[in-house]
Amino acid sequence: MILPGEQRFQYETALRQLQAFPGSWILEIGSFRGGSAHCFAQAILDTPDTPDSPESMLVCIDPFFGCYDEGLRAVLQRDFQGASSFVPFCEALGPARLARTIPVAATADKAAILLGHLHAPPFGLALIDGDHTWQAQLRDLELARSLLLPGATILCHDSSWEDTQIATAQFSKQWGYQLERGVGGDFDRITV
Ligand SMILES: C[S@@+](CC[C@H](N)C(=O)[O-])C[C@H]1O[C@@H](n2cnc3c(N)ncnc32)[C@H](O)[C@@H]1O
């Protein structure tokens, strides 16, 4: 779960990347109820569009059922009678932020097929916060890598989890990317 202090960090990171790469897009894998997505979409709204660059957009990938995590499933069951987290996601973002957001209701492996056909502008920022197993973390990092600009940032949430830590370190080492541990709360930050 994203903590309030971490929201500011994500908002500021997004602002910085949007300024560095005007018109770039933002990718989120694992959106749940929109805690991080809210920060990213707000940063997009707060960054003026330039005449010669396309509008930045946020792509949010999540099956929206809290599927892998028993704790999240329990929250959905308790607060939303087991409904999908898509309703609270939309409520958290509100109409203005949703207008700059493309929600993709799928797991990251299925969404990868779609993203390949989207012809989106390159991404300047990605948040990896989906299925935190070693295998899925590596797969999500590779998906992000295929879409990111040189100089882009990848934030990996729950950097204190052993599986995500190992996968993130392995990925950074393999591609020679700079890795900073435990920044902004519980994030690893990779510069590609
Ligand atoms: C820790 S939550 C994300 C929290 C979110 N970033 C926030 O701001 O509150 C993890 C989310 O990952 C999603 N998820 C699980 N497996 C996934 C997969 N294979 N692909 C994409 N999302 C996945 C779950 O549905 C859940 O909503």
Side-chain angles (χ1 to χ4, degrees):
M1 208 69 73
I2 300 287
L3 301 171
E6 295 179 326
Q7 294 196 324
R8 174 134 217 100
F9 170 73
Q10 291 176 102
Y11 171 76
E12 286 170 356
T13 302
L15 270 189
R16 203 181 51 237
Q17 292 305 103
L18 291 165
Q19 277 158 16
F21 304 109
S24 63
W25 286 26
I26 299 176
L27 174 69
E28 177 177 60
I29 299 179
S31 298
F32 193 44
R33 291 159 65 176
S36 308
H38 178 282
C39 309
F40 297 145
Q42 188 61 45
I44 287 174
L45 285 182
D46 292 347
T47 304
D49 295 322
T50 58
D52 51 352
S53 65
E55 279 193 348
S56 298
M57 294 292 290
L58 168 65
V59 176
C60 290
I61 299 170
D62 197 307
F64 292 107
F65 279 96
C67 57
Y68 84 101
D69 183 307
E70 279 180 24
L72 295 183
R73 274 203 304 274
V75 170
L76 289 173
Q77 197 68 44
R78 187 193 64 213
D79 293 355
F80 302 101
Q81 290 76 49
S84 139
S85 59
F86 191 60
V87 173
F89 172 85
C90 292
E91 284 171 357
L93 267 73
R97 296 180 202 91
L98 273 179
R100 303 298 290 268
T101 303
I102 302 173
V104 181
T107 52
D109 54 325
K110 296 207 174 70
I113 301 165
L114 175 80
L115 287 176
H117 295 286
L118 194 59
H119 300 300
F123 290 75
L125 172 64
L127 172 70
I128 310 295
D129 195 13
D131 177 345
H132 289 0
T133 59
W134 169 81
Q135 193 177 26
Q137 180 82 1
L138 264 187
R139 182 205 56 211
D140 292 351
L141 285 164
E142 285 297 343
L143 170 62
R145 199 182 85 81
S146 69
L147 300 165
L148 289 171
L149 288 157
T153 294
I154 306 177
L155 296 178
C156 303
H157 194 236
D158 294 321
S159 66
S160 51
W161 294 25
E162 198 181 350
D163 265 20
T164 62
Q165 249 182 42
I166 293 170
T168 303
Q170 194 177 331
F171 170 81
S172 309
K173 190 171 171 202
Q174 179 183 350
W175 294 106
Y177 296 149
Q178 183 192 353
L179 167 63
E180 297 157 88
R181 286 252 184 244
V183 296
D186 197 9
F187 294 93
D188 280 340
R189 177 168 55 204
I190 301 169
T191 307
V192 308

Coordinates of all heavy atoms in Angstrom, one line a residue, residues 35 47 59 80 130:
G35 N -3.9 5.1 -5.6 CA -3.0 5.9 -4.7 C -1.9 6.6 -5.5 O -1.7 7.8 -5.5
T47 N 1.6 19.9 -15.5 CA 2.7 20.2 -16.4 C 2.0 20.7 -17.7 O 1.2 20.0 -18.4 CB 3.4 18.9 -16.8 OG1 3.9 18.3 -15.6 CG2 4.6 19.2 -17.7
V59 N -0.7 5.4 -18.3 CA -1.3 4.0 -18.6 C -1.2 3.2 -17.4 O -0.1 3.0 -16.8 CB -0.5 3.3 -19.8 CG1 -1.0 1.9 -20.0 CG2 -0.6 4.1 -21.1
F80 N -15.9 -3.1 -0.3 CA -16.6 -3.0 -1.6 C -17.3 -4.3 -1.9 O -17.6 -4.6 -3.1 CB -15.6 -2.6 -2.7 CG -14.9 -1.3 -2.4 CD1 -13.6 -1.3 -2.0 CD2 -15.6 -0.1 -2.6 CE1 -13.0 -0.1 -1.7 CE2 -14.9 1.1 -2.3 CZ -13.6 1.1 -1.9
G130 N 3.1 -4.4 -9.1 CA 2.0 -5.4 -9.3 C 2.2 -6.6 -8.5 O 2.2 -6.6 -7.3

